[in-house]
Amino acid sequence: MKKLYIVVVAIALMSISAFASNTRRDIVDTAAQAGSFNTLTKALKAADLVDTLKGPGPFTVFAPTDQAFNNLPPGALEVLLKPENKEQLRSILTYHVVPGRVTASDVVKLTSAKTVNGEELRISVLKGVVRLNESRVTKTDIPASNGLIHIVDRVIVPLMGEISQVSKIDDMLASFESKAIEARRDAAMLESKRRNSQINWKTHSETLNVMKAHINEMGKMLTELEGMKSRATLFQEKAIEAARPHLEDLAQRVEKAISWLNEDRGSIAKAEYKENLHGIWSDADQLYRNVDTIIDYHEARMRLHELTEEPVAR
């Protein structure tokens, strides 16, 4: 523990020396002056927390750098900065703030700390490295007129919460796309049967009912996705919006085909029925293509982000 204390104190002294001139500035101005907290400053403004952190305090802020924000999942910051997600952003930012002036020497003696948002940070120390949940403290004890700043290399995520639903929406869109592939396959089977007069009505009916089940599942998924649009990235929103028109038309055409067969099994030979089958194929194909194109582009942007991401200093 003595060795650990020496390491922490050494970091603290270096930080104090580098930021000695900040003692007359409050926490917000100190962060802004440093130049590596532009995203944090922007987020504080969006969450209406600037005045709070300019108040008398004292506060201890575990401040994520611009690179820490860049390390969030692609699109997560975009979602958090939406006006409708202001409360979520406030909750995350206040999870980085602890009441009082908590120095580096205080932190290493703790296993947890209650934050301003009411939830607790988990604190651990291993080989001289202080961790708050999964983030690392890289600089400590930066003085401000109304508290202290400690720098962390990641945005700290509440243990029982989540930064955003971006990843969840990605997973749901992937599941939706899988169902769209199945519906497209069913539609392709119907399209091939449209040209084959030897196929009986029962085969048509069975395929249509399987397709109806897929459409119903997609309808439930899409309704849930539409309820999550406020927490979606721009490209996720586009994928969700692109699905609705084709899914609705597809559902109507499948219902119409089933109804015709229930009323008259000989419908499979009628031109109107065959034209409707072709419409089913067109809708199913376009539904899949629209969602797939947007998802593929979104994933390409994520891969590009990972390739260009700067390594975190160790």
Side-chain angles (χ1 to χ4, degrees), residues 6 10 21 29 36 50 87 92 99 108 128 132 139 160 192 215 222 227 237 246:
I6 291 171
S21 62
D29 289 342
S36 55
V50 171
E87 289 307 312
I92 291 167
V108 297
L132 309 173
K139 288 185 179 180
M160 300 306 291
S192 67
I215 291 170
L222 187 56
E237 282 187 33
H246 295 293

Side-chain angles (χ1 to χ4, degrees), residues 45 65 85 123 180 191 205 213 247 250 254 257 265 274 278:
K45 289 178 181 176
T65 61
N85 293 330
I123 301 172
E191 177 70 358
S205 180
L247 184 61
L250 182 60
V254 169
R265 296 174 182 178
K274 291 181 178 181
H278 184 65

Side-chain angles (χ1 to χ4, degrees), residues 40-309:
L40 176 61
T41 302
K42 181 180 179 180
L44 289 172
K45 289 178 181 176
D48 285 339
L49 287 172
V50 171
D51 289 343
T52 299
L53 291 181
K54 279 180 167 290
F59 304 105
T60 298
V61 176
F62 297 97
T65 61
D66 291 336
Q67 183 57 49
F69 278 99
N70 288 339
N71 291 336
L72 289 172
L77 181 60
E78 169 198 330
V79 171
L80 285 173
L81 292 175
K82 289 182 177 181
E84 58 266 38
N85 293 330
K86 179 178 174 180
E87 289 307 312
Q88 185 187 19
L89 179 61
R90 285 177 66 91
S91 177
I92 291 167
L93 293 176
T94 53
Y95 190 59
H96 292 71
V97 182
V98 173
R101 190 182 296 266
V102 185
T103 65
S105 58
D106 294 326
V107 171
V108 297
K109 299 173 186 176
L110 303 173
T111 57
S112 65
K114 192 167 185 178
T115 65
V116 170
N117 89 343
E119 295 190 51
E120 290 197 345
L121 281 171
R122 182 184 64 219
I123 301 172
S124 60
V125 184
L126 180 63
K127 296 181 179 179
V129 178
V130 179
R131 290 187 179 273
L132 309 173
N133 292 1
E134 300 304 320
S135 71
R136 295 187 309 131
V137 177
T138 58
K139 288 185 179 180
T140 63
D141 291 342
I142 299 168
S145 62
N146 60 343
L148 288 173
I149 297 174
H150 305 299
I151 300 178
V152 292
D153 66 349
R154 293 187 187 183
V155 175
I156 309 171
V157 184
L159 296 176
M160 300 306 291
E162 56 185 357
I163 284 186
S164 73
Q165 297 193 23
V166 172
S167 296
K168 181 179 179 180
I169 295 172
D170 271 341
D171 291 341
M172 290 181 66
L173 281 171
S175 297
F176 184 92
E177 184 183 23
S178 295
K179 286 298 174 185
I181 290 171
E182 292 181 27
R184 185 171 180 264
R185 179 200 62 207
D186 297 336
M189 291 173 62
L190 287 170
E191 177 70 358
S192 67
K193 291 169 185 176
R194 179 175 71 91
R195 303 187 185 95
N196 190 344
S197 59
Q198 302 302 312
I199 303 294
N200 63 35
W201 70 271
K202 188 174 182 181
T203 304
H204 278 252
S205 180
E206 288 173 351
T207 305
L208 285 166
N209 278 296
V210 168
M211 195 169 190
K212 180 179 178 180
H214 292 323
I215 291 170
N216 286 339
E217 287 185 59
M218 282 190 286
K220 292 176 183 177
M221 289 181 192
L222 187 56
T223 298
E224 187 173 354
L225 282 165
E226 287 170 337
M228 299 165 70
K229 276 177 61 178
S230 67
R231 296 183 179 181
T233 67
L234 175 63
F235 291 99
Q236 288 173 335
E237 282 187 33
K238 287 184 178 296
I240 294 167
E241 291 168 359
R244 174 60 68 183
H246 295 293
L247 184 61
E248 287 184 349
D249 198 48
L250 182 60
Q252 291 171 6
R253 288 183 178 277
V254 169
E255 283 290 350
K256 185 184 291 185
I258 292 173
S259 178
W260 279 342
L261 284 181
N262 287 339
E263 292 173 4
D264 180 9
R265 296 174 182 178
S267 294
I268 59 174
K270 296 179 179 179
E272 190 178 20
Y273 177 84
K274 291 181 178 181
E275 183 181 345
N276 189 55
L277 287 189
H278 184 65
I280 288 173
W281 157 250
S282 296
D283 279 328
D285 182 57
Q286 197 59 52
L287 172 66
Y288 163 72
R289 287 179 184 276
N290 283 0
V291 174
D292 180 65
T293 299
I294 297 169
I295 290 176
D296 281 353
Y297 184 69
H298 180 62
E299 290 177 348
R301 288 178 74 245
M302 290 176 67
R303 288 194 294 272
L304 180 62
H305 174 88
E306 291 168 358
L307 288 172
T308 58
E309 182 179 287

